[in-house]
């Protein structure tokens, strides 16, 4: 398993040959990704990748494991070593507009190790397929495959190389979570599971700044000015959706906009309780709040937590002077949400 971060790094960086050989760039998010006319994708090393052996939290052990039989699907576990009792499991999906990001990115490694320690839970951080090579619903399918794998692990009997992890998990208390695009994955996986009948073990879904869109602009999308350090501008958001959605579709596709007319009615969805974390300076603020209001009106259990003075992905990018304080607040909310279920 030690080769996994290197393999994923090779796949996701994809440095390109000469531009004259592959044509002009047709989509670009500066510093992160370029897509060329011939379909070649170049991902830039914007964030340092770290091995699972790097330990930002002294009480948390981390390991990489292959997940199921899907090619390239793997996950990084975070297990609080000092907790003697069995712990709830949080299946987590990283952000990156469905197009960039990795479970081995240092910013996620640090945040999820801290989350595991402070919320007293085991975290499984999923490394799913990326667009535009693998457009939606590929990431949603990977999320569902991971949940099937978790179910298999819960019923596994006998010793093997994953016994160290299973022995620490309370499989009767499983949570889905993610930030940005990862939150959209968590939501869609929960919807798919609900269509099959919500498993009793799924106790809640944690959506951190969920990356949803729509053809009609919200007020925060139109009016919230973003600094050069922002993780998400309106232009960037549109570019991510063009690369992630199936060709020929728009932002009112159900995989993008859960409140669109073409999306399943919220009243008909079977969902566990939701925690939605909203950032005040995020262009997604109003869209996130509209989701909370619609969920509540549809009779769903939803908690919202609003974090003042910070923008998108502050908890991993630390790009606001109050990021550390607000991240501590977020972890307190997540811990309470998990412990109460």
């Amino acid at each position: 398993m030690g080769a996994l971060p290197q393999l994923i790094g090779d796949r996701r960086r994809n440095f390109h040959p000469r531009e004259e050989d592959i044509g002009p760039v047709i989509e670009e998010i500066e510093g992160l990704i370029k897509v060329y006319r011939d379909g070649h994708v170049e991902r830039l090393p914007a964030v340092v990748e770290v091995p699972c052996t790097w330990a930002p939290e002294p009480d948390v052990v981390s390991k990489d494991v292959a997940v199921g039989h899907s090619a390239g699907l793997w996950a990084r576990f975070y297990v609080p070593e000092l907790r003697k009792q069995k712990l709830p499991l949080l299946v987590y999906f990283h952000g990156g507009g469905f197009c960039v990001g990795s479970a081995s990115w240092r910013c996620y490694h640090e945040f999820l190790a801290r989350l595991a320690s402070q919320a007293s839970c085991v975290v499984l951080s999923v490394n799913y397929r990326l667009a535009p090579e693998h457009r939606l619903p590929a990431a949603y399918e990977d999320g569902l495959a991971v949940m099937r794998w978790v179910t298999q692990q819960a019923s596994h009997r006998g010793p093997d190389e994953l016994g160290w992890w299973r022995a620490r998990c309370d499989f009767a208390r499983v949570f889905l979570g993610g930030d940005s695009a990862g939150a959209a994955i968590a939501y869609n996986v929960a919807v798919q599971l609900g269509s099959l009948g919500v498993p009793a073990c799924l106790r809640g879904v944690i959506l951190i700044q969920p990356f949803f869109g729509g053809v009609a602009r919200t007020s925060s999308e139109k009016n919230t000015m973003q600094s050069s350090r922002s993780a998400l501008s309106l232009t960037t958001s549109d570019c991510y959706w063009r690369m992630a959605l199936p060709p020929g579709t728009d932002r009112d596709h159900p995989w993008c906009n859960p409140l669109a007319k073409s999306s399943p009615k919220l009243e008909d969805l079977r969902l566990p309780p939701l925690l939605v974390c909203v950032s005040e300076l995020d262009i997604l603020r109003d869209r996130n709040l509209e989701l909370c209001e619609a969920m509540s009106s549809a009779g769903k259990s939803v908690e919202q937590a609003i974090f003042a003075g910070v923008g998108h992905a502050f908890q991993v990018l630390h790009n606001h002077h109050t990021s550390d304080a607000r991240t501590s607040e977020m972890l307190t909310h997540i811990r309470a949400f998990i412990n109460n279920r």
Side-chain angles (χ1 to χ4, degrees):
M1 303 311 300
L4 281 173
Q6 182 61 47
L7 289 173
I8 206 70
D10 292 345
R11 179 170 68 85
R12 293 193 171 180
R13 285 172 183 162
N14 292 328
F15 293 116
H16 65 87
R18 295 178 304 169
E19 185 167 325
E20 57 266 29
D21 295 333
I22 56 179
V25 173
I26 58 172
E27 295 284 6
E28 179 178 8
I29 297 175
E30 186 175 356
L32 287 172
I33 187 170
K34 294 180 181 180
V35 180
Y36 294 82
R37 187 170 60 189
D38 74 339
H40 181 81
V41 178
E42 176 189 3
R43 291 185 177 84
L44 305 174
V47 180
V48 173
E49 296 185 6
V50 295
C52 61
T53 51
W54 188 68
E57 299 291 329
D59 65 325
V60 175
V61 174
S62 178
K63 293 186 180 181
D64 292 337
V65 297
V67 175
H69 302 291
S70 300
L73 186 59
W74 61 277
R76 179 165 292 185
F77 280 102
Y78 299 86
V79 181
E81 196 173 27
L82 301 181
R83 313 298 197 276
K84 299 306 180 184
Q85 74 277 24
K86 289 196 173 187
L87 302 174
L89 170 65
L90 171 60
V91 179
Y92 194 92
F93 302 93
H94 66 76
F98 304 101
C99 299
V100 298
S102 170
S104 62
W105 272 13
R106 176 174 174 169
C107 58
Y108 280 106
H109 187 76
E110 291 176 333
F111 175 68
L112 294 177
R114 184 178 175 187
L115 191 159
S117 176
Q118 295 192 19
S120 296
C121 63
V122 174
V123 178
L124 182 151
S125 176
V126 181
N127 209 77
Y128 53 87
R129 288 175 293 170
L130 298 178
E133 303 97 321
H134 306 283
R135 291 176 179 263
L136 294 175
Y140 300 155
E141 291 170 348
D142 285 353
L144 195 59
V146 168
M147 292 303 290
R148 293 193 189 102
W149 180 81
V150 167
T151 300
Q152 293 169 358
Q153 294 301 307
S155 61
H156 184 87
R157 298 292 181 269
D160 63 13
E161 60 182 11
L162 296 180
W164 64 273
W165 163 71
R166 287 193 299 269
R168 304 304 309 278
C169 277
D170 180 357
F171 287 103
R173 298 176 64 207
V174 178
F175 294 80
L176 282 165
D179 65 287
S180 195
I185 297 171
Y187 173 82
N188 276 276
V189 171
V191 169
Q192 292 181 72
L193 291 174
S195 69
L196 305 173
V198 179
C201 67
L202 185 58
R203 299 297 184 89
V205 183
I206 300 165
L207 307 180
I208 302 174
Q209 306 134 358
F211 183 50
F212 295 124
V215 171
R217 304 295 195 189
T218 65
S219 177
S220 62
E221 287 172 338
K222 292 185 292 186
N223 301 318
T224 305
M225 300 301 296
Q226 299 296 299
S227 73
S228 59
R229 296 183 301 164
S230 172
L232 190 68
S233 67
L234 194 57
T235 300
T236 300
S237 173
D238 288 349
C239 186
Y240 278 136
W241 284 119
R242 286 195 301 271
M243 291 189 287
L245 286 170
T249 60
D250 63 24
R251 295 187 309 276
D252 279 339
H253 192 287
W255 292 334
C256 175
N257 186 357
L259 303 184
K261 291 181 178 179
S262 58
S263 296
K265 292 183 178 180
L266 298 185
E267 293 83 353
D268 297 336
L269 300 181
R270 291 184 286 181
L271 293 169
L274 302 171
L275 169 64
V276 182
C277 297
V278 184
S279 295
E280 181 188 26
L281 304 182
D282 190 352
I283 65 167
L284 298 176
R285 180 195 64 213
D286 290 352
R287 199 169 291 281
N288 292 172
L289 293 175
E290 287 173 2
L291 177 69
C292 292
E293 182 178 357
M295 284 285 179
S296 181
S297 297
K300 308 305 176 187
S301 173
V302 57
E303 299 177 21
Q304 67 180 45
I306 302 176
F307 301 93
V310 286
H312 196 76
F314 72 88
Q315 73 283 354
V316 289
L317 298 183
H318 309 292
N319 52 357
H320 294 265
H321 71 279
T322 59
S323 288
D324 287 343
R326 297 295 176 262
T327 301
S328 294
E329 291 176 17
M330 177 182 287
L331 292 174
T332 298
H333 279 282
I334 293 174
R335 178 186 177 95
F337 183 79
I338 290 175
N339 287 351
N340 290 335
R341 287 163 179 82

